[in-house]
Amino acid sequence: PFFEQYLDFIVGILHGDFGTSYVTGNSITEEIKIRFPYTLRLAFIGVALSVFIGIPLGVYAATHQYTWKDNASIFLSLFCVSMPGFWFALMLVQLFSRKLGWLPSMGVEHWYSYILPCITVAVAEAASLARQSRSSMLEVIRQDYITTARAKGVKESRVIYKHALKNALIPTVTVIGMQMSMVMGGSVIIETIFSIPGLGAYMMAGINARDYPVINGCVLVLSLSICVMNLLVDIAYA
C-alpha cells in the first residue's frame, strides 16, 4: 500500500538508505557518497574565488564612489551578472581548450580540470558580491563612528578594513551563504557542460530516465546541504 511504501521510504532515509536505482539497480546512497564531493568541491572553490575577487572589488568601488573606477567596477559587475553562465562556460572551453589547448574541456582527472568550471562559477558570483559589498560599504562609511575614527587621525586603510568592513560584511555573509546554496543546487548545468560526475549530473540523468528514487535522493541531499549552509551563515554572523 502507498502509505506503507512511504513509511518504509522515511525509515530508510533515517538510516541513510535512499533505495536503489530503477535503471542500474545500484545503491543510491553509495552513488551519492561518490558524487557529492565533486559538487561540494566545485561549489566551495567557486564561491571562495568569488569572495576573494568580489569583496575587494566592492570595497574598492565604494571608496572611489562616483569616479571612473567606481563606474568601471559597476559596469563590469553588471556585465558579469547579466552574462548567461552556460554561454560563458562554452566560451571558456572554446578559447582555453579548443583554440589554445591549455586546459581540459571535460572530466576531473587532474587538479587543473577544475580551473574552467570554478572560474565559470566564480565570475557571476563575484559580480553579485561586488555589488552587495559596495552597497554595504557605502552605508557603513557614512556612519558617525567612521567620521569619528577619521577625526581622531586613524589611518584610512585601518578605518576601511578594521572598522567599516567588519560591519559591512554582515549582509555580505548572507549573500555568500545563498550563493553556496544556489551553486550546489544549480550545479547541473556546469557539471553537464564539463562532464563532472557530480550530484547535479547524477540528478539530471535520473530526470531523463524517470528514475524517481535517484531524483528523491539527490533533492533531499541538496535540501539538507542548503539547511546546513543557512545554519553556518547564522553562526558566521558572530
Side-chain angles (χ1 to χ4, degrees), residues 5-21 25-33 213 216-217 220-221:
Q5 292 181 44
Y6 181 68
L7 182 62
D8 289 342
F9 175 67
I10 297 297
V11 171
I13 288 174
L14 294 175
H15 289 84
D17 181 14
F18 292 101
T20 57
S21 168
N26 295 333
S27 169
I28 296 170
T29 304
E30 294 303 317
E31 290 284 347
I32 290 175
K33 284 181 182 178
N216 286 336
L220 284 170
V221 170

Side-chain angles (χ1 to χ4, degrees), residues 57-237:
L57 185 62
V59 172
Y60 185 78
T63 53
H64 295 81
Q65 189 182 17
Y66 301 136
T67 65
W68 69 268
K69 299 172 184 177
D70 182 29
N71 293 332
S73 301
I74 294 173
F75 174 79
L76 182 63
S77 299
L78 288 173
F79 178 78
C80 292
V81 166
S82 305
M83 184 171 53
F86 68 89
W87 175 84
F88 183 58
L90 293 173
M91 292 302 101
L92 288 178
V93 170
Q94 184 73 14
L95 176 61
F96 292 102
S97 296
R98 297 198 60 184
K99 287 189 178 295
L100 299 176
W102 291 353
L103 296 168
S105 62
M106 61 180 64
V108 286
E109 295 178 1
H110 308 285
W111 64 268
Y112 48 80
S113 301
Y114 282 96
I115 293 177
L116 293 184
C118 291
I119 289 176
T120 304
V121 171
V123 166
E125 306 304 337
S128 300
L129 271 181
R131 296 173 65 199
Q132 177 62 52
S133 302
R134 178 183 179 276
S135 300
S136 300
M137 280 295 294
L138 287 175
E139 289 182 13
V140 170
I141 60 179
R142 294 190 179 103
Q143 300 296 321
D144 291 340
Y145 71 92
I146 298 296
T147 305
T148 303
R150 284 172 172 159
K152 289 167 66 176
V154 178
K155 281 185 180 180
E156 184 65 16
S157 59
R158 186 174 176 81
V159 170
I160 296 299
Y161 294 104
K162 175 73 175 175
H163 298 285
L165 183 59
K166 234 182 221 183
N167 292 318
L169 280 178
I170 293 174
T172 307
V173 167
T174 306
V175 174
I176 294 171
M178 291 171 59
Q179 285 182 347
M180 190 76 177
S181 302
M182 287 190 296
V183 170
M184 292 191 67
S187 61
V188 57
I189 298 173
I190 304 299
E191 290 179 3
T192 301
I193 291 173
F194 292 100
S195 298
I196 298 174
L199 203 59
Y202 185 48
M203 183 168 63
M204 192 65 190
I207 292 171
N208 290 332
R210 297 180 183 271
D211 198 344
Y212 298 115
V214 170
I215 301 170
N216 286 336
C218 292
V219 169
L220 284 170
V221 170
L222 290 173
S223 302
L224 179 61
S225 302
I226 291 170
C227 293
V228 171
M229 280 306 307
N230 290 336
L231 175 63
L232 292 177
V233 165
D234 289 341
I235 294 171
Y237 286 154

